[in-house]
Amino acid sequence: MNKYLIDYLRCSLCKNELTYLPFATGQKGTNDSREMETDGCLRCSCGMIFPIIGGVPRLLPESFLDYETVIEKNIPGYHIVRSKILASYKEIIDFSTTRNRSIKQTFGFEWSLLQTSEQVNVWDLNDRQFEDQLWNELKAEETDFKNATAIDVGCGHGRSGMLLAEKCSIVFCLDIGRSVEHAAKINSRMNCIFIQADLNHLPFANGSFDIVYSSGVLHHNPDTKAAFSKVSALVKKGGILCVWLYKPFHNSIHKVMLGLRNITTRLPLKLQFWLYFFTLLPIHKIMGLLKGKSKSWREIMINQLDMLSPKYRHEHAPYEVEAWFKAAMYTNVEMTTTNNYGFSMRGTLAEDAK
Ligand SMILES: [Zn+2]
């Protein structure tokens, strides 16, 4: 557990401050960060309860239901707490549970392919290229990182957050899926904190971060612009927002793949995996060999799953996203990287923004 949690985290439903209650001792609630060494839960005065399992705070509205068997054993009178929560938030929790079920599975499975000691490139980039791309996307000065608080919304495998933590004071890495568990396990930096949460219910006060980064995430929501507004709310005045999004790609193979999504997004995830493993993977392997490029099967499968599995996959033109930045009062708005599939855009939130 980490000393920064109580200072920064808020209830993802009412935004009130939280109190830490360790499971191991059953002590009464405390805000003393030095005591946060064990799993436990974060509790809000509104009644909500958020478990900390495996050292990772779980701040989805439905997290207490996901880990109910653990909570039941550790919180006296849990059935009363549960009734109180459901009396206040049943509709939100039911909606979130249903909506998040497939998202958690899809992205949790996708990133589980990186849980290996093998060196696996991500998005065709080796570690060095991945790092260079991150700094190019953000296009920030070294002074922007100094003493900065940062967040990676939709951190997946967690590499971007761990890199940001080398330069920033504190970095939160948030993902809706359980990829945060492996990322937290391999992370060695105390100032890099992994949490499981949903951008529709962000567990932070507005304006908490100097740098807000979200790569390849917003377009997997029902409404990309609405998701943009949610993460934008986290940016401090004078802070940086940087997003990477898909753009329209006028290529016949790409169009066929988009058409296939009408079928693939309805298939069970395991079936999709084996289907792509025995069809698309060999095709990619052969095409790669013909071009003299050798990709690992894990890298190819991550690319295929990201294309064909998520329920939502929107594409946006850069001018459209630039308009979102400008309407939200960002200055120095700039497209910082681009390739066939997408682009990154960053801006600085004006000091006089509302
Ligand atoms: Zn609350």
Side-chain angles (χ1 to χ4, degrees):
M1 279 300 301
N2 196 292
K3 63 181 179 165
Y4 300 115
L5 284 175
I6 285 295
D7 291 342
Y8 283 89
L9 288 181
R10 297 287 179 271
C11 172
S12 51
L13 292 177
C14 77
K15 301 275 185 181
N16 274 344
E17 293 183 2
L18 297 165
T19 305
Y20 172 64
L21 180 75
F23 281 157
T25 61
Q27 299 165 13
K28 66 180 175 60
T30 174
N31 281 333
D32 186 345
S33 55
R34 288 165 302 184
E35 293 180 25
M36 287 190 234
E37 300 297 332
T38 62
D39 282 357
C41 62
L42 296 161
R43 297 189 74 168
C44 178
S45 54
C46 77
M48 272 306 291
I49 192 165
F50 302 100
I52 301 166
I53 307 290
V56 177
R58 319 287 174 145
L59 289 123
L60 300 170
E62 71 275 22
S63 286
F64 73 100
L65 296 174
D66 291 345
Y67 297 96
E68 194 157 44
T69 47
V70 184
I71 295 174
E72 242 172 354
K73 282 186 205 150
N74 287 283
I75 295 186
Y78 168 67
H79 65 283
I80 298 169
V81 175
R82 186 185 198 276
S83 306
K84 191 179 168 194
I85 294 172
L86 293 177
S88 306
Y89 295 122
K90 188 172 187 315
E91 209 172 307
I92 296 173
I93 290 165
D94 285 350
F95 181 74
S96 188
T97 304
T98 308
R99 185 192 54 196
N100 291 346
R101 190 174 292 129
S102 73
I103 302 174
K104 283 191 271 192
Q105 277 176 355
T106 302
F107 291 101
F109 185 70
E110 182 178 323
W111 294 118
S112 73
L113 295 175
L114 280 186
Q115 293 172 20
T116 169
S117 54
E118 286 172 37
Q119 177 63 43
V120 182
N121 290 354
V122 180
W123 314 135
D124 297 340
L125 303 171
N126 64 30
D127 282 357
R128 181 75 241 170
Q129 292 164 329
F130 187 90
E131 179 171 357
D132 288 345
Q133 171 150 307
L134 174 65
W135 308 135
N136 290 338
E137 286 176 355
L138 284 163
K139 205 173 176 186
E141 304 291 333
E142 283 306 311
T143 49
D144 292 324
F145 295 112
K146 201 165 179 238
N147 301 320
T149 53
I151 184 166
D152 180 5
V153 180
C155 65
H157 50 79
R159 286 186 189 172
S160 301
M162 289 181 225
L163 288 166
L164 280 167
E166 291 175 11
K167 295 189 178 215
C168 298
S169 165
I170 305 161
V171 179
F172 279 89
C173 302
L174 170 158
D175 205 281
I176 195 168
R178 293 179 59 183
S179 63
V180 282
E181 293 169 9
H182 180 70
K185 208 176 284 178
I186 60 170
N187 170 48
S188 57
R189 303 190 74 94
M190 279 297 286
N191 65 332
C192 185
I193 302 152
F194 287 86
I195 63 170
Q196 189 178 14
D198 172 8
L199 68 76
N200 292 292
H201 297 284
L202 286 162
F204 299 97
N206 286 347
S208 290
F209 295 95
D210 299 295
I211 297 173
V212 175
Y213 177 75
S214 184
S215 178
V217 173
L218 307 184
H219 48 219
H220 289 309
N221 284 272
D223 181 341
T224 312
K225 189 181 172 191
F228 175 90
S229 298
K230 298 260 181 189
V231 297
S232 173
L234 294 178
V235 184
K236 273 184 198 171
K237 287 176 185 175
I240 294 169
L241 173 63
C242 178
V243 300
W244 191 98
L245 294 169
Y246 289 130
K247 69 180 183 186
F249 181 27
H250 304 292
N251 168 287
S252 49
I253 295 175
H254 184 71
K255 284 180 182 161
V256 170
M257 296 293 272
L258 287 180
L260 281 176
R261 284 179 41 77
N262 290 321
I263 303 165
T264 57
T265 52
R266 296 161 201 234
L267 299 175
L269 200 53
K270 284 273 165 64
L271 175 60
Q272 288 189 53
F273 177 84
W274 291 114
L275 191 62
Y276 309 152
F277 191 86
F278 287 114
T279 57
L280 299 174
L281 178 62
I283 293 170
H284 275 267
K285 274 282 187 192
I286 292 165
M287 283 171 64
L289 288 173
L290 291 174
K291 289 179 186 169
K293 287 182 186 172
S294 175
K295 285 187 192 174
S296 81
W297 71 268
R298 289 175 189 273
E299 183 183 358
I300 295 169
M301 288 302 290
I302 288 171
N303 290 348
Q304 296 312 309
L305 286 166
D306 202 75
M307 173 79 192
L308 295 168
S309 297
K311 187 173 177 187
Y312 302 104
R313 188 195 181 283
H314 304 297
E315 297 181 346
H316 299 278
Y319 73 84
E320 184 185 1
V321 179
E322 185 179 354
W324 300 347
F325 270 94
K326 290 191 171 165
M329 301 286 287
Y330 284 85
T331 59
N332 302 322
V333 179
E334 190 179 342
M335 186 165 73
T336 46
T337 66
T338 182
N339 63 22
N340 284 339
Y341 296 99
F343 62 94
S344 57
M345 191 167 283
R346 56 85 77 206
T348 305
L349 187 60
E351 291 289 350
D352 59 350
K354 286 176 191 166

